[in-house]
C-alpha cells in the first residue's frame, strides 16, 4: 500500500526507540566517556537518579520500555525534541516532547549517537532494536476506524481492547488498540481517549556495524507504518490529512 510520508496532526504521544548493546566498560564511566563526543552533536547531559526510567513527552519519569525489567540509569541527554537515556545494556530514545521531528531526522540522530558510543569505546556491538509508537485519539472510537468488523455477542459486549501479534523470523510485532479509556493529561484534566500502540523488536546476532543497525531500524520503522496504516480505513486515513 501507498504509505503517507506524514499526517497532520500525527497524534503521537510516544516515539520510543531502544537499542541493546554489548558494552566494553563499566556503565558508571559512560557519561564521562561520551560527554565530549555527544556535546559535539548538540546534546546536554542531565544528571539522573539511579532509577529505571524513560521520559514521557512532558519530560517526566515513566516506566521502562522493557515491561517488568528494572534498569539503572547512567545518563540522560537532551537535544531540543530528542532525549536518550543510557541504561545498563541499552539506549532508550524518545522523540516527542510535543513535536515529532520526523523519521529522517530521528534515525540520523540515533545513528550519530550509536556511532559516538563506538568512537568513545563504550559499545562493542549491538544485538537488538525496538521501535514503539503510540498514538492517542481523543473522543474517537477506534473500533469504527479499523478495517474489518468486530461483532462480539451480537452487540451484548463492548470492545475496549484489541491485541494482535505476529512473528516473522527474529522480528516480533505487537499491536494494541485501547478503546475509549479514561486518561489524565499533564495538567490533571481527565478525558476519554483511544490509543493505538505498535511495538516491534528484532533480535539479531551481535554486529558492530552502525550501518547494519541503521538499516534494520529503517526496515522496522517501515513495518511499523504498514501495521498502523494497514489497519485503518481509507476514510479515517484521509481525515488525518495525509501527505504522500
Amino acid at each position: 500500500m501507498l504509505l503517507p510520508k506524514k499526517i497532520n496532526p500525527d497524534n503521537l504521544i510516544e516515539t520510543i526507540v531502544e537499542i541493546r548493546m554489548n558494552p566494553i566498560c563499566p556503565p558508571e564511566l559512560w557519561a564521562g566517556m561520551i560527554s565530549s563526543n555527544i556535546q559535539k552533536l548538540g546534546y546536554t547531559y542531565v544528571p539522573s537518579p539511579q532509577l529505571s526510567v524513560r521520559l514521557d513527552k512532558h519530560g517526566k519519569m515513566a516506566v521502562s520500555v522493557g515491561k517488568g525489567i528494572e534498569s539503572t540509569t547512567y545518563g540522560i541527554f537532551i537535544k531540543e525534541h530528542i532525549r536518550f537515556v543510557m541504561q545498563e545494556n541499552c539506549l532508550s530514545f524518545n522523540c516527542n516532547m510535543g513535536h515529532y521531528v520526523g523519521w529522517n531526522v530521528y534515525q540520523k540522530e540515533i545513528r550519530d549517537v550509536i556511532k559516538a558510543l563506538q568512537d568513545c569505546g563504550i559499545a562493542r556491538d549491538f544485538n537488538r532494536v525496538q521501535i514503539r509508537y503510540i498514538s492517542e485519539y481523543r473522543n474517537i472510537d477506534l473500533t469504527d476506524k479499523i478495517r474489518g468488523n468486530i461483532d462480539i455477542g451480537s452487540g451484548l459486549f463492548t470492545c475496549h481492547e484489541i491485541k494482535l501479534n505476529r512473528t516473522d523470523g527474529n522480528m516480533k510485532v505487537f499491536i494494541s488498540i485501547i478503546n475509549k479509556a479514561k486518561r489524565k493529561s499533564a495538567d490533571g484534566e481527565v478525558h476519554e481517549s483511544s490509543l493505538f500502540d505498535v511495538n516491534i523488536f528484532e533480535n539479531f546476532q551481535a554486529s558492530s556495524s552502525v550501518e547494519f543497525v541503521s538499516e534494520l531500524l529503517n526496515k522496522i520503522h517501515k513495518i511499523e507504518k504498514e501495521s498502523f496504516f494497514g489497519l485503518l480505513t481509507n476514510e479515517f486515513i484521509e481525515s488525518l490529512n495525509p501527505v504522500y
Side-chain angles (χ1 to χ4, degrees), residues 28-84:
E28 292 82 5
L29 303 177
W30 293 352
M33 292 175 66
I34 202 174
S35 178
S36 177
N37 291 43
I38 216 68
Q39 284 179 13
K40 292 176 183 177
L41 297 176
Y43 287 88
T44 301
Y45 171 67
V46 178
S48 63
Q50 301 298 293
L51 299 170
S52 175
V53 303
R54 65 170 167 75
L55 297 169
D56 65 17
K57 70 173 183 176
H58 304 294
K60 294 184 178 181
M61 300 295 182
V63 297
S64 174
V65 169
K67 186 177 180 180
I69 300 175
E70 293 300 321
S71 299
T72 301
T73 299
Y74 294 97
I76 298 174
F77 297 84
I78 300 173
K79 178 182 180 179
E80 297 178 293
H81 301 290
I82 298 176
R83 305 184 185 191
F84 73 89

Side-chain angles (χ1 to χ4, degrees), residues 4-20:
K5 294 180 181 178
K6 64 179 180 178
I7 52 180
N8 183 33
D10 56 43
N11 294 297
L12 289 166
I13 58 171
E14 289 286 7
T15 53
I16 303 162
V17 174
E18 181 181 280
I19 299 175
R20 296 201 181 167

Side-chain angles (χ1 to χ4, degrees), residues 163-167 173-175:
K163 288 186 176 292
L164 306 169
N165 65 79
R166 71 180 177 92
T167 300
V173 180
F174 299 91
I175 297 173

